[in-house]
Amino acid sequence: MIVGQQKKFDEIWEMVKGFRKVMVLGCNTCIAVCHAGGDKEADALASMLKIKAANEKVSMDVSHGAIQRQCENEFFTPVLEDLAKYDLVLSIACGVGVNFLSARIGKTPVYPGVNTQFFGGVPKPGFFEELCGGCGSCVLNLTGGICPIARCSKSLMNGPCGGTNKGKCEVSQDIDCAWFLIVERMKQLGTLEKLFEVQPPRDWSGSFHGGPRRVVVEHLRDIEEKQ
Amino acid sequence: MKAAEIQSTKGFTAESSELKESRPYPPCRAACPVHTDVQAYVADVAEGRYTDAFEVIRSVNPIASACSLICHHPCEQQCRRCGVDEPLGVRHLKRFALEQATDYRRSKRHAVAQTKGKSVAIIGSGPAGLTAANDLADLGYKVTIFEKNPTLGGMLSAAIPAYRLPRVTLQEDIDDVLSKGVEAKTNCEIGKDVTLAELSSKYNAVLIATGLSLSRSLNIPGVDSPGVLLALPFLSDAAYERKVDLGKKTLVIGGGNVAIDVARTAKRLGAENVEMVCLESEEEMPAWSWEVDEAVEEGIKIHYRWGPKAVKASNGKAEGLEVVKVTSVFDESGRFSPKFDQNETMLIEADTIIIAIGQMSDFSFLKDSAVKVDERGRLVWSQATQMSSAPGVFVSGEVVTGPGSAIAAASTGHRVATAIDLYLSGKNIEAALVSDRKDKINEMPKDIIQKLAVQPRGKVAHIEPDARCTSFIQFEAGYDEYTALREARRCRSCGAGAVVNQDKCVACLTCLRVCPYDAPIVTNKAEISPDRCQACGLCVPACPCQAITMVGYDVNAIRNSMPSIIGDKGAEPVIVAFMCSHYAAEKGASLSSNVRKVRVHCTSRVDVHDMLSAFEYGADGAFIVFCGSDDCRYREVYPRVKMRTELAKKMLGATGMDPDRLAYFRTGGEAGSDWVKAIEDMAAKLKEMGK
Ligand SMILES: Cc1cc2nc3c(=O)[nH]c(=O)nc-3n(C[C@H](O)[C@H](O)[C@H](O)COP(=O)(O)OP(=O)(O)OC[C@H]3O[C@@H](n4cnc5c(N)ncnc54)[C@H](O)[C@@H]3O)c2cc1C
Ligand code: SF4
Ligand code: SF4
Ligand code: SF4
């Protein structure tokens, strides 16, 4: 799932302070699961804005709400008209939601309240860990199920680098060396020799470097559009 | 402490009661014949809302005060705490709540407009008749009760001894009903003073709720001797303070609750020596064990497993009872079928012998009426319509159900009132009068029992046997406030717990992770098992989608009522105190008036938003008071809510306010004074901060 974190409140305040009628809009999907932007967080952030506005003697009318997913048209249908009545929508969805809403709301600005960070998993309660780089050309079959793009600090395809140290990455002692993990895991699977196979050069065009990506599932398209 | 000083955070709405009704009942509520919402009023008591508790009780029970003293409390027998230690003291808590709410209760009495333009005559003023009168008056009917006794209340007034049920207490129930505009004609016996036919012609409907007003006698030699009495006339003489001469030694025949009442009454009327004789063994005896214990304490001797054979009398006076040994009371299939050993007999001497072996109906008033009695002497009626064989003549209570409890009789009063209303509205009774059977939640799971602390049940004091037997003084004391509040917190709030709104849940697993009782199960969406949930409320603020609500309280109530909680601000800094009800109850009184007390069943429900909302509406400071580690009725609340409070402090800090404006305390057992001081310190600090 997509993991993000709420922006520092000061930064949010700087964005918001000039507006009179503000809607804090949460998204009850991934960003709710990481407790950064669901219904509850929208509620709490609205409360903070009200406290701040009162203390700063700024007249501001703050509302809050959330929809199921800020990345699909249908979920906006019942609320879009209402949202357009605000001076600002502070979206605490991931960046996708902010883009998505911004393109549809008309003249009202949509600002982000969250820094969208990565695709991650939840190894234990309260921990969110980046596990996939979204590179568009998956190699996990070759690397023991450990993503070198996301989990190696340098996204090396032929690691480890010289900075590996007792299983840790030179970037930080808190980071496991992905290539150390890959080797250990492949030993365990008995497939270590696969690492010695020479791989063809990677096609990075499906990644960030080939421009914005798009997936089209032909059989799901609108009939009229297709014709 | 006045309950009004404390903000109610229950916030119960129509939707919440709908939700509650749609859920399985806790066993206490299911067991109560009128389905009193025990959990709800106990929670009200725990949080100091005594008048709310009264409303919950009275809404279904018009003989609430009587029940608070004499109910056999099937709720307690079924209580889920039984698995942990002892059942909750439900009846004692009911008494406490009603006593606390007496002034309020009296102030609420008022006549109900008789909007229906139709009238109902009720024969008999026992629990069944009174309850029906209550409901029919509420519905707008003109109700008249006819009672042959000089007082209202049926057996509660004419038989149950005053040492268990003082008549001033019963009067509170009666006054409630009469205040609605119900008319009562006492000393008026139907069949003698007025006929049933007259009632039928004058009223739109008639209710027969005449109970069992005759005592059964025995068919043994000598039973007509002077000195042989029957239970009900004897109890009634005692109740109306008519003189009874018992002599020195009284023997009571019977092993039920009525027999016990008779024996204990005889003791109080001056019989030096009171004995009982019954067919059953100690274990088989139908009387409640606690009543037997109390009788034995009073020096009443019980002869078990003897059957009455003949009354011995000479010179026109009873001298004793010849009894024969019982070999068995029940046959193989459990039916009552006593067998005797005629070779083993004895004589129990007595000046007075009182027969207390059961009650039956007196149907003499039905003679020549359209109401049929079958060949076995039973009134012919339909359970589906509550009607007798005569159209418009209804029946309820023990006259048709046979002997039971006061509250069971009252429940039939509710049912018959609905039936009469349907009838008088021209509707089909049978189709609309539904059975009230409800699903109930299961016993407490074993693994949860192990997680629950043992807390002994709060006891009530009894006057010492020697002292109590000299008069009809009420022998049982009620709970004091301290004991009541502690006892109320023993309730596990069964069935009042968390419910997930499936439309909002994103299956994030948070509830499953925070729940100390493994109540949530998350497959596609979260679902919370009512059998396991302890209604602690910990999961509610943890859910990122606000998908969890509670059956027992409105989860938004604190936030929604924050403006009124804060109210007018004076010169002193306003501090909002979120207090675990335990401490609020015991120590809250000594806090100064600038502290706004928000009493919660447990701090577990206090959300980050609740804390922030205090500041949103202008509080200068806020704090959370946790109960001591040994007192918490739930698990893991302190570490979780502490983390939550730390987060709220950070958020407060981020807005530019001093995070120290929000604080928390955990107090030990009786350390009330500590936190009074802590609050004073906080107030001083806030002043320093410029309020
Ligand atoms: C000694 C004793 C102790 C008890 N203790 C308990 C206890 O501790 N807990 C408990 O739950 N229950 C107890 N009960 C049972 C309880 O009292 C009954 O369940 C309850 O009173 C039945 O209610 P009812 O309305 O059906 O009839 P009743 O209470 O019997 O009321 C019927 C009324 O109708 C009146 N009546 C009858 N015929 C006529 C007529 N022709 N005209 C006018 N009026 C008439 C009678 O005088 C009576 O007042 C006890 C009963 C007795 C006798
Ligand atoms: S613990 Fe409370 S709610 Fe549960 S059965 Fe007992 S009285 Fe009822
Ligand atoms: S915490 Fe809320 S959203 Fe998450 S699984 Fe439980 S009910 Fe669903
Ligand atoms: S956390 Fe508490 S309220 Fe929530 S499901 Fe568990 S026991 Fe019930």
Side-chain angles (χ1 to χ4, degrees):
Chain A
M1 69 180 191
I2 295 174
V3 177
Q5 235 182 339
Q6 226 170 70
K7 284 178 176 289
K8 289 237 152 36
F9 184 75
D10 286 346
E11 190 186 340
I12 294 179
W13 177 249
E14 283 305 312
M15 283 193 266
V16 170
K17 68 180 183 195
F19 296 90
R20 290 182 64 95
K21 202 166 172 303
V22 178
M23 161 58 85
V24 182
L25 187 67
C27 172
N28 276 335
T29 305
C30 320
I31 209 74
V33 175
C34 63
H35 293 244
D39 232 318
K40 180 189 157 73
E41 258 54 50
D43 195 343
L45 183 54
S47 198
M48 289 171 78
L49 287 170
K50 287 181 208 165
I51 295 172
K52 181 73 174 175
N55 288 346
E56 299 288 323
K57 311 226 168 355
V58 174
S59 133
M60 189 187 282
D61 178 4
V62 189
S63 310
H64 65 86
I67 62 170
Q68 186 66 36
R69 277 207 295 282
Q70 288 194 26
C71 51
E72 309 236 28
N73 280 325
E74 286 83 344
F75 289 117
F76 277 114
T77 313
V79 296
L80 201 56
E81 206 176 307
D82 191 39
L83 289 177
K85 292 181 190 144
Y86 287 86
D87 298 336
L88 174 74
V89 176
L90 179 70
S91 165
I92 53 172
C94 70
V96 177
V98 180
N99 276 272
F100 200 88
L101 174 57
S102 193
R104 284 159 182 78
I105 197 171
K107 285 192 175 149
T108 308
V110 183
Y111 286 177
V114 157
N115 291 324
T116 311
Q117 288 175 297
F118 52 79
F119 306 144
V122 193
K124 52 186 175 179
F127 282 77
F128 299 88
E129 218 167 55
E130 180 163 23
L131 294 176
C132 165
C135 71
S137 174
C138 191
V139 293
L140 288 170
N141 56 320
L142 303 174
T143 58
I146 291 155
C147 174
I149 313 289
R151 298 173 71 180
C152 165
S153 303
K154 297 167 188 167
S155 299
L156 291 176
M157 290 302 295
N158 55 348
C161 71
T164 186
N165 184 7
K166 294 191 186 116
K168 295 291 171 189
C169 171
E170 67 174 342
V171 169
S172 156
Q173 275 299 303
D174 292 339
I175 302 173
D176 289 327
C177 168
W179 278 101
F180 177 83
L181 296 177
I182 290 169
V183 169
E184 288 302 309
R185 175 67 177 149
M186 293 193 63
K187 270 195 215 158
Q188 190 190 27
L189 294 172
T191 56
L192 193 61
E193 75 287 352
K194 272 202 172 184
L195 282 180
F196 296 96
E197 288 170 18
V198 176
Q199 302 298 331
R202 267 181 68 90
D203 174 9
W204 290 104
S205 66
S207 184
F208 287 127
H209 318 282
R213 291 170 281 180
R214 168 182 283 172
V215 173
V216 181
V217 182
E218 284 298 339
H219 66 279
L220 296 179
R221 295 178 60 183
D222 269 344
I223 294 172
E224 282 154 35
E225 201 202 35
K226 179 114 198 214
Q227 282 163 353
Chain B
M1 171 178 28
K2 295 279 168 300
E5 272 180 44
I6 288 150
Q7 289 291 336
S8 164
T9 51
K10 187 163 68 159
F12 220 62
T13 59
E15 296 89 76
S16 21
S17 37
E18 219 170 85
L19 173 67
K20 193 166 208 172
E21 288 306 318
S22 73
R23 310 276 301 166
Y25 277 173
C28 52
R29 186 173 184 190
C32 173
V34 296
H35 300 311
T36 306
D37 193 346
V38 175
Q39 169 276 317
Y41 84 74
V42 169
D44 284 333
V45 171
E47 292 170 49
R49 296 183 298 258
Y50 305 141
T51 55
D52 285 7
F54 162 76
E55 291 288 359
V56 172
I57 297 166
R58 180 61 181 71
S59 68
V60 290
N61 188 354
I63 52 160
S65 280
C67 282
S68 79
L69 300 183
I70 58 106
C71 190
H72 68 303
H73 46 68
C75 52
E76 294 189 19
Q77 273 91 302
Q78 295 291 317
C79 176
R80 299 215 309 161
R81 258 214 97 91
C82 292
V84 184
D85 38 38
E86 297 164 277
L88 197 78
V90 179
R91 178 171 71 76
H92 300 319
L93 285 170
K94 174 176 284 153
R95 172 174 173 184
F96 174 79
L98 293 170
E99 284 173 356
Q100 296 297 314
T102 304
D103 291 344
Y104 169 83
R105 175 182 193 171
R106 291 178 183 161
S107 75
K108 295 281 281 189
R109 287 182 188 140
H110 65 271
V112 182
Q114 293 169 353
T115 51
K116 287 283 203 295
K118 288 185 177 161
S119 60
V120 182
I122 296 180
I123 314 171
S125 65
L130 275 183
T131 302
N134 175 78
D135 292 8
L136 289 166
D138 279 344
L139 288 166
Y141 292 100
K142 180 174 170 358
V143 180
T144 312
I145 298 178
F146 296 86
E147 169 57 60
K148 71 177 177 189
N149 285 329
T151 55
L152 300 177
M155 290 305 142
L156 309 187
S157 170
I160 296 185
Y163 63 86
R164 290 206 291 130
L165 176 58
R167 297 308 187 254
V168 286
T169 311
L170 173 62
Q171 198 58 41
E172 295 293 343
D173 293 336
I174 295 170
D175 286 349
D176 277 354
V177 177
L178 294 182
S179 71
K180 294 176 193 270
V182 170
E183 203 189 328
K185 294 193 197 299
T186 47
N187 292 315
C188 180
E189 182 171 348
I190 304 306
K192 213 156 137 202
D193 304 307
V194 184
T195 65
L196 183 59
E198 277 174 81
L199 290 188
S200 287
S201 68
K202 272 205 196 143
Y203 294 84
N204 299 96
V206 177
L207 169 60
I208 298 175
T210 47
L212 307 172
S213 51
L214 296 179
S215 274
R216 288 184 196 282
S217 186
L218 283 163
N219 191 9
I220 53 173
V223 77
D224 297 327
S225 314
V228 179
L229 310 178
L230 292 174
L232 286 183
F234 166 73
L235 287 172
S236 178
D237 284 346
Y240 294 119
E241 294 174 19
R242 294 188 283 248
K243 194 160 163 30
V244 195
D245 189 7
L246 291 173
K248 281 198 171 141
K249 188 169 169 193
T250 298
L251 176 67
V252 181
I253 306 175
N257 292 312
V258 173
I260 300 267
D261 278 345
V262 169
R264 295 174 75 184
T265 297
K267 190 93 191 168
R268 283 160 174 80
L269 287 176
E272 277 169 33
N273 188 341
V274 179
E275 294 182 2
M276 296 176 67
V277 59
C278 64
L279 300 172
E280 298 88 356
S281 68
E282 199 171 346
E283 296 72 39
E284 292 162 334
M285 204 177 168
W288 297 111
S289 60
W290 60 87
E291 301 228 11
V292 179
D293 292 347
E294 285 159 12
V296 172
E297 270 173 28
E298 290 170 8
I300 293 162
K301 181 174 167 192
I302 307 174
H303 300 277
Y304 295 106
R305 285 217 157 196
W306 291 97
K309 190 162 186 229
V311 173
K312 297 285 166 212
S314 68
N315 303 331
K317 213 179 129 305
E319 282 187 333
L321 182 73
E322 191 186 354
V323 290
V324 52
K325 191 70 200 169
V326 173
T327 53
S328 70
V329 187
F330 302 100
D331 66 13
E332 270 146 27
S333 53
R335 260 186 305 244
F336 181 75
S337 167
K339 304 263 176 322
F340 304 95
D341 174 0
Q342 296 296 344
N343 296 325
E344 196 179 344
T345 59
M346 71 169 178
L347 180 75
I348 307 172
E349 287 175 10
D351 305 309
T352 306
I353 296 170
I354 310 177
I355 304 173
I357 58 161
Q359 292 77 244
M360 57 189 187
S361 298
D362 178 357
F363 288 136
S364 56
F365 72 104
L366 296 179
K367 221 167 85 208
D368 304 327
S369 82
V371 177
K372 286 199 196 102
V373 177
D374 70 14
E375 65 289 350
R376 289 174 60 191
R378 293 172 308 191
L379 202 153
V380 178
W381 68 298
S382 153
Q383 190 143 29
T385 59
Q386 294 281 144
M387 218 193 287
S388 72
S389 52
V393 179
F394 291 80
V395 290
S396 77
E398 296 194 340
V399 66
V400 284
T401 63
S405 64
I407 192 64
S411 79
T412 69
H414 284 311
R415 188 172 157 86
V416 81
T418 311
I420 292 173
D421 181 41
L422 289 164
Y423 171 78
L424 293 179
S425 316
K427 295 188 187 132
N428 183 313
I429 306 174
E430 203 160 345
L433 204 61
V434 288
S435 137
D436 71 344
R437 203 155 280 169
K438 284 284 299 183
D439 285 349
K440 59 174 181 176
I441 56 179
N442 297 309
E443 277 175 22
M444 194 80 86
K446 291 225 161 45
D447 62 309
I448 291 192
I449 288 180
Q450 256 133 44
K451 290 181 174 178
L452 303 180
V454 169
Q455 290 167 298
R457 172 180 159 117
K459 300 273 178 291
V460 292
H462 287 174
I463 301 178
E464 286 302 315
D466 282 351
R468 72 190 186 218
C469 285
T470 56
S471 73
F472 280 83
I473 182 172
Q474 185 174 14
F475 79 107
E476 181 189 79
Y479 280 151
D480 57 24
E481 191 170 31
Y482 181 90
T483 315
L485 289 165
R486 284 195 164 252
E487 184 63 15
R489 283 171 49 89
R490 290 179 68 236
C491 175
R492 296 313 301 175
S493 306
C494 309
V499 182
V500 174
N501 176 346
Q502 301 277 317
D503 292 342
K504 293 185 97 184
C505 171
V506 288
C508 74
L509 300 165
T510 309
C511 52
L512 176 147
R513 290 175 180 148
V514 302
C515 177
Y517 305 99
D518 300 326
I521 301 164
V522 183
T523 41
N524 291 328
K525 298 281 169 115
E527 265 182 84
I528 292 174
S529 151
D531 291 348
R532 301 188 65 83
C533 176
Q534 301 294 302
C536 69
L538 210 49
C539 57
V540 177
C543 174
C545 301
Q546 300 183 330
I548 310 179
T549 46
M550 296 291 285
V551 177
Y553 60 85
D554 172 6
V555 297
N556 295 313
I558 296 180
R559 251 163 293 158
N560 291 345
S561 45
M562 196 50 84
S564 70
I565 291 173
I566 300 224
D568 293 334
K569 295 178 68 181
E572 291 295 305
V574 170
I575 302 176
V576 176
F578 300 100
M579 305 191 292
C580 165
S581 52
H582 187 43
Y583 278 90
E586 290 167 31
K587 313 293 179 204
S590 49
L591 295 181
S592 59
S593 63
N594 60 323
V595 177
R596 307 287 193 265
K597 304 164 193 105
V598 180
R599 183 181 285 187
V600 286
H601 76 298
C602 172
T603 52
S604 61
R605 76 172 271 198
V606 182
D607 197 350
V608 165
H609 310 41
D610 297 322
M611 303 178 204
L612 291 180
S613 74
F615 296 95
E616 204 180 305
Y617 293 103
D620 300 293
F623 66 87
I624 325 287
V625 183
F626 297 94
C627 64
S629 51
D630 297 338
D631 288 314
C632 186
R633 69 212 276 207
Y634 303 115
R635 293 163 71 85
E636 299 175 12
V637 171
Y638 177 63
R640 281 238 176 256
V641 184
K642 192 174 128 184
M643 287 193 277
R644 210 186 279 161
T645 315
E646 294 291 355
L647 172 65
K649 280 166 75 80
K650 258 195 216 146
M651 292 165 92
L652 195 64
T655 70
M657 291 185 84
D658 191 328
D660 286 343
R661 286 176 183 272
L662 180 60
Y664 54 84
F665 307 100
R666 176 167 224 186
T667 54
E670 305 295 323
S673 54
D674 294 357
W675 68 270
V676 171
K677 185 175 174 304
I679 293 159
E680 280 164 7
D681 290 351
M682 180 176 208
K685 211 153 66 182
L686 290 174
K687 272 192 184 158
E688 257 170 52
M689 289 178 197
K691 235 170 105 167

